[in-house]
Amino acid sequence: MHLEKGSERSAVTFKWRIWVLSLVGLLVMPLLSGCWDSVELNQRAVVAAIGIDADGESDYEVSLQIIVADEIAGAKARGNTPVVLYQQKGSNLFQVIRKASQKIPRVVSLAHARIVVFGEKLARRGIGDTLDYLERAAEPRLTMKMLVARGETAKNVLASMTAIGRIPANDISGKLEASQRMYAGDYAVSLDDVIRSMSNKGSGPVLTGVEVEGNLEQAHLKANVDSILPEAIVSIKGMGVFQKDRLIQWLDDDQALGLSMVNNKVKSAETALSCGKKGEIIGIETLYSKTHVHSLIEQGKPVFVINLEQTGTIQEAECSIDLKSPEVMYSLQKQWGEETKKVITSTVKEVQRSRSDVLGLGHALEKSHPEQWKKLSPEWNRYFAESTVRVQVTSVLKHTQSRTNPYSKGESN
Amino acid sequence: MKKIQIDAKEMISLMMLFELGTSMMSIPGRDAGKDAWIAILIATGLGALLFLCYGSLHRHFPDLLMTQYCKVLLGKTAGSVLAFLYIVFFLYGGARDLRDTGILIADRTLQHTPLTIVCVLMIGLVMYVMHLGIEVAGRTGLMLLFLLLLLGCATNIMILLSGIVHMSNIFPIAQHGWQPIWEVVYSQALMLPYGEMVTFAMILPTLKKSYRANGVGITAVLLGGAILSFVTLSNVVVLGEDVFKRATYPLLSMISKVEISDFVDRVDVIGVMTVIIFDFFKIFIFYYAAVKAAEDVLRVSYHKLILPFGLIMLVSCVLMTQGYQEHLATGEFVLKWMFPVFAVFFPFLLLMVSWLKKIRNKKRKGYAS
């Protein structure tokens, strides 16, 4: 009897439990419908690149390069262009991006934007007011690469069809990565790099340059990629030096390479040394490059020593030269070091002329002589331009690739 | 009834989770800029001393909760009043942290979702664990802490591999002298994770008797402090002083920078998850302490208190402030004026009284014999 009573009670609690469970289930059910903030993937317009141009005195014209998902995905493709460029004008970035929804049938999503391109006109006017939105908003990433369209509007750069990457933004970012890795005449600068260097005294950011080579009229047409020889091609070119938020100068080729060297951005680079009397060349690849900047005080004035160590290999020898001999290699090393010194010195001179400390010399001074820095920093522009910079280079040539001596050109020995 | 008991490992992990919850996302001592990590290390040392105080109180009364020895030491009336104040303190702490989590989720990721909904979900989960009891929480905590440490290591490796570490960001150390560092130690870094550890005075009696509370607590404080300092350091090294100071959540900004050659990127979810799990335990511990204290003071059973206290925390969390800035301003005020009273003044008072009583008892014994 005792047992029966027990089982009865457990039956009651069992029933009660089922009731409670179903009540909880009912209460939880609304959660399944999704939340307030849900935006499904097919309601999103994924922005691949943001282009910002000047419009009038203080307004902006923003171009959003938006991926047409159906074209990328394949099955539903209609053979249209893989991206569409939407444009909108307004007085501030946030307004423009929100206003753009009048033209874009989906929710604009900046989370996947990889590059931001400024038109040169805007870059010369000042990019400062556009950065806060990019930094503050939750969606855009700090890792976005920042570029300036050289002598061009950002719109034209972003409206060019590209062959290898179907999405032009990826194509540009790929070119930037590749040239940073192979050539070092430019390097990627991310949003937070720019913001950090804005706050440095007497300095400014450097932004990568990008331009459209060839026929601009054809660049935006699909015909541009229908040809083996594209009418127009987007290419990365040089670095733009900013003072505060204004572009003041472009550095190209060797001078841009010097900038990469001082800022420790070189992964691999190319140097041409002259050899022989007929303008023949020895091509050297940099395998490793590391720079330290020290500051000294001499007679109350800051002096900077840029100390660079590099190793390399010979990739090309046009002249006849005995590459088996260590002595020859030593002299080549010396020549290479001199050449590098020349490159860096010319970069430093050029940057000093622009009065914007994009080489980070101020930071070196701040680190080792904080007192001096406190005194000089309010007018660092001027002091930077006047300070003495010495360059020391240590170079080692490691090897000569798959051959020792260059082939004989039939010249008499 | 079986006595509720917690292992040392579980206690340490609960303490570390408590220490790192919210402090990991807001980084106490951030006003010291790139030297915040030093401020945190100093605060950790002082925090260990502070814990010694709670620990020795516990050694005097190994079986009593803080609210219980309040009454023993200060007499029934004064003790009860103090214990009641502590209930309010614990509830406030829990509600604050609930709001912190709510802000993180509702203001950052789910901007159009009402804060109430986010907080209801969070507190609902905490209430469920409250219902299961602290032993379950201890075991879960151990497991999750292990997971979080693994994720933390993985994130650090990813940050290293992304090549975004710039050691030069932390130099020169103490550029503006040591004065600002000490200031933030006092105003923020000491109270935020370490002063709040007073909550464990309500939980230490559940520690298995074979372990020493002081050793367990100090291990947890030092380990947690080291991790917090390391996280701060890596924030500065990745973001630079300027962005670090201006970011609402430096940890999340740092993690959003992870990008390993198009292969691993957008790992932000790890950061958000970490922060939420840490906060979860922090809310739980405040909540548990409040309920335990109330069980003792108001003489109502533990399970009956869960729902009302959860509702109190939920409502006060939602009504606490209008926005983030106000929340932070209140937080600063509270850390400076209210927390030291509860975390330093009262415990030291209790410790003094217990020492005096001990001396007096000894004297009496001396006379009697």
Side-chain angles (χ1 to χ4, degrees):
Chain A
M1 199 175 150
H2 187 75
L3 260 175
E4 259 173 39
K5 214 174 181 179
S7 65
E8 202 177 283
R9 190 185 292 155
S10 74
V12 168
T13 50
F14 183 66
K15 242 185 203 169
W16 186 81
R17 270 194 177 180
I18 287 189
W19 274 111
V20 168
L21 268 181
S22 32
L23 195 69
V24 168
L26 271 176
L27 282 176
V28 172
M29 217 173 272
L31 294 177
L32 294 175
S33 66
C35 2
W36 281 255
D37 289 278
S38 75
V39 181
E40 298 299 329
L41 210 53
N42 58 11
Q43 300 167 341
R44 282 188 188 276
V46 177
V47 176
I50 307 170
I52 309 174
D53 282 308
D55 177 42
E57 281 301 300
S58 65
D59 282 6
Y60 301 107
E61 184 180 35
V62 171
S63 318
L64 298 174
Q65 191 183 80
I66 287 173
I67 298 173
V68 183
D70 286 347
E71 289 305 321
I72 301 296
K76 277 198 232 158
R78 289 182 293 182
N80 298 347
T81 53
V83 293
V84 181
L85 201 65
Y86 289 102
Q87 283 169 278
Q88 187 60 268
K89 289 177 184 174
S91 64
N92 56 326
L93 205 55
F94 179 56
Q95 182 190 53
V96 176
I97 283 172
R98 286 302 166 101
K99 217 164 140 193
S101 57
Q102 290 180 323
K103 297 181 179 174
I104 304 167
R106 295 178 174 189
V107 176
V108 172
S109 158
L110 298 176
H112 295 261
R114 299 184 84 169
I115 60 174
V116 178
V117 182
F118 295 99
E120 175 148 355
K121 205 175 141 208
L122 176 66
R124 300 231 178 239
R125 195 180 88 191
I127 59 169
D129 295 340
T130 61
L131 296 175
D132 189 71
Y133 172 71
L134 296 175
E135 182 195 28
R136 187 180 302 274
E139 278 198 332
R141 310 208 140 237
L142 287 178
T143 49
M144 286 190 301
K145 299 186 176 93
M146 312 289 274
L147 300 104
V148 177
R150 290 188 73 163
E152 201 68 72
T153 54
K155 180 192 99 188
N156 281 340
V157 169
L158 292 182
S160 303
M161 285 288 277
T162 52
I164 292 187
R166 300 245 305 143
I167 299 163
N170 291 359
D171 184 272
I172 294 172
S173 129
K175 281 168 182 166
L176 179 49
E177 268 162 33
S179 68
Q180 174 178 358
R181 194 160 148 183
M182 307 277 297
Y183 178 64
D186 45 64
Y187 57 87
V189 180
S190 64
L191 174 57
D192 60 328
D193 288 337
V194 172
I195 286 165
R196 258 195 301 274
S197 32
M198 286 279 185
S199 63
N200 290 349
K201 281 186 183 127
S203 162
V206 277
L207 266 69
T208 323
V210 58
E211 64 172 13
V212 186
E213 270 176 24
N215 188 352
L216 259 182
E217 305 286 301
Q218 292 287 320
H220 62 280
L221 295 178
K222 229 166 58 191
N224 192 38
V225 289
D226 282 343
S227 158
I228 289 184
L229 200 65
E231 292 274 342
I233 201 158
V234 179
S235 101
I236 305 293
K237 195 155 183 275
M239 301 296 287
V241 175
F242 281 62
Q243 193 180 61
K244 284 296 156 209
D245 65 335
R246 289 201 174 120
L247 173 69
I248 40 175
Q249 193 179 20
W250 286 104
L251 297 180
D252 271 315
D253 301 322
D254 274 359
Q255 286 172 349
L257 176 64
L259 186 72
S260 301
M261 283 173 175
V262 178
N263 286 337
N264 266 323
K265 297 283 183 185
V266 176
K267 293 206 176 79
S268 170
E270 156 277 329
T271 315
L273 302 180
S274 66
C275 104
K277 289 166 199 111
K278 285 175 276 175
E280 289 133 319
I281 293 291
I282 287 196
I284 290 176
E285 180 191 351
T286 309
L287 298 174
Y288 166 88
S289 163
K290 184 92 193 157
T291 309
H292 292 283
V293 180
H294 304 283
S295 70
L296 318 162
I297 302 290
E298 281 178 12
Q299 288 149 3
K301 280 186 176 169
V303 171
F304 296 94
V305 181
I306 296 175
N307 203 332
L308 182 130
E309 288 166 13
Q310 56 182 5
T311 68
T313 170
I314 291 173
Q315 286 280 20
E316 188 180 24
E318 293 179 349
C319 56
S320 61
I321 188 169
D322 182 15
L323 290 181
K324 277 196 228 165
S325 125
E327 278 73 34
V328 171
M329 291 303 265
Y330 292 147
S331 76
L332 278 177
Q333 278 178 11
K334 210 175 147 207
Q335 199 187 344
W336 185 33
E338 291 300 317
E339 185 65 30
T340 310
K341 212 164 156 178
K342 234 176 7 196
V343 166
I344 293 180
T345 313
S346 101
T347 305
V348 170
K349 279 226 175 87
E350 198 64 25
V351 173
Q352 276 184 327
R353 227 159 49 94
S354 76
R355 297 198 154 209
S356 176
D357 179 15
V358 292
L359 303 171
L361 302 188
H363 193 67
L365 183 68
E366 186 182 3
K367 237 190 322 191
S368 50
H369 298 91
E371 296 302 310
Q372 200 76 12
W373 170 247
K374 222 179 247 173
K375 221 164 57 195
L376 300 183
S377 61
E379 274 187 277
W380 183 238
N381 278 352
R382 194 159 63 79
Y383 290 113
F384 164 70
E386 288 165 2
S387 55
T388 318
V389 179
R390 289 183 202 133
V391 185
Q392 291 170 352
V393 181
T394 316
S395 327
V396 176
L397 282 172
K398 290 275 185 192
H399 53 94
T400 61
Q401 298 294 329
S402 5
R403 290 293 179 272
T404 51
N405 287 344
Y407 74 94
S408 144
K409 290 173 183 162
E411 290 159 5
S412 58
N413 293 342
Chain B
M1 203 182 99
K2 216 184 96 207
K3 204 167 175 298
I4 297 171
Q5 281 197 322
I6 292 189
D7 212 335
K9 271 186 297 199
E10 288 161 13
M11 185 60 96
I12 288 179
S13 48
L14 278 182
M15 282 173 170
M16 280 171 70
L17 286 163
F18 181 84
E19 234 183 298
L20 294 173
T22 66
S23 53
M24 188 101 136
M25 69 186 202
S26 59
I27 308 284
R30 191 131 64 95
D31 291 349
K34 60 189 165 205
D35 300 319
W37 63 281
I38 305 178
I40 289 172
L41 279 186
I42 296 173
T44 308
L46 294 176
L49 288 181
L50 210 54
F51 193 88
L52 267 183
C53 162
Y54 314 143
S56 24
L57 270 172
H58 170 69
R59 217 165 60 192
H60 282 286
F61 306 98
D63 290 316
L64 295 187
L65 296 169
M66 187 189 211
T67 45
Q68 287 165 331
Y69 55 72
C70 275
K71 281 185 248 175
V72 174
L73 289 173
L74 301 179
K76 195 140 194 204
T77 330
S80 297
V81 170
L82 188 58
F84 186 78
L85 285 179
Y86 266 103
I87 300 178
V88 177
F89 172 73
F90 294 144
L91 278 178
Y92 178 73
R96 253 199 94 74
D97 290 341
L98 188 59
R99 179 66 183 231
D100 277 333
T101 322
I103 282 178
L104 174 76
I105 301 171
D107 290 8
R108 274 293 291 255
T109 51
L110 305 176
Q111 303 210 348
H112 301 281
T113 311
L115 177 76
T116 321
I117 300 297
V118 175
C119 291
V120 163
L121 290 177
M122 191 74 188
I123 197 77
L125 214 61
V126 182
M127 277 157 84
Y128 177 62
V129 178
M130 283 293 288
H131 169 76
L132 295 176
I134 196 161
E135 284 176 313
V136 176
R139 286 195 294 272
T140 326
L142 181 61
M143 226 165 69
L144 283 176
L145 183 68
F146 185 68
L147 176 78
L148 290 179
L149 289 181
L150 266 184
L151 276 179
C153 289
T155 314
N156 276 312
I157 291 171
M158 286 193 285
I159 285 169
L160 269 181
L161 290 181
S162 305
I164 47 178
V165 174
H166 302 289
M167 281 319 274
S168 62
N169 283 343
I170 57 164
F171 297 110
I173 287 169
Q175 188 178 10
H176 307 291
W178 290 84
Q179 172 81 4
I181 299 180
W182 282 105
E183 260 165 36
V184 295
V185 168
Y186 167 68
S187 65
Q188 307 171 357
L190 181 57
M191 281 305 131
L192 179 51
Y194 307 112
E196 285 176 331
M197 293 291 276
V198 70
T199 316
F200 277 90
M202 298 298 301
I203 297 173
L204 282 178
T206 50
L207 182 68
K208 272 188 189 156
K209 287 293 159 302
S210 47
Y211 299 106
R212 300 178 84 149
N214 271 336
V216 167
I218 284 168
T219 315
V221 165
L222 294 182
L223 273 178
I227 293 175
L228 189 60
S229 176
F230 180 75
V231 168
T232 310
L233 190 67
S234 56
N235 279 342
V236 177
V237 158
V238 170
L239 296 174
E241 185 175 26
D242 172 52
V243 178
F244 170 69
K245 269 174 109 166
R246 289 185 306 117
T248 27
Y249 302 109
L251 179 76
L252 301 187
S253 293
M254 171 181 78
I255 292 179
S256 78
K257 283 210 68 185
V258 169
E259 198 172 43
I260 309 175
S261 63
D262 291 349
F263 172 57
V264 181
D265 60 355
R266 296 167 221 284
V267 289
D268 310 36
V269 66
I270 293 181
V272 178
M273 198 179 82
T274 311
V275 170
I276 290 176
I277 293 176
F278 277 128
D279 282 3
F280 172 86
F281 280 97
K282 192 154 187 186
I283 298 167
F284 167 78
I285 283 160
F286 271 126
Y287 192 173
Y288 182 82
V291 169
K292 271 292 187 198
E295 189 187 19
D296 173 46
V297 176
L298 309 175
R299 310 215 171 279
V300 185
S301 81
Y302 175 86
H303 280 277
K304 274 189 192 156
L305 280 167
I306 293 180
L307 189 63
F309 271 36
L311 289 179
I312 290 175
M313 275 166 67
L314 178 63
V315 171
S316 45
C317 141
V318 174
L319 299 181
M320 193 174 263
T321 60
Q322 294 185 346
Y324 186 60
Q325 272 59 35
E326 197 185 313
H327 185 62
L328 283 189
T330 330
E332 229 161 72
F333 173 79
V334 164
L335 279 183
K336 228 175 180 167
W337 302 110
M338 195 177 103
F339 277 48
V341 175
F342 283 95
V344 184
F345 178 69
F346 285 145
F348 269 103
L349 184 75
L350 292 175
L351 195 62
M352 289 301 173
V353 174
S354 75
W355 274 340
L356 287 179
K357 279 204 169 175
K358 210 176 174 185
I359 293 170
R360 216 173 58 186
N361 281 351
K362 259 189 194 160
K363 272 190 186 162
R364 262 192 206 151
K365 263 183 199 164
Y367 288 131
S369 63

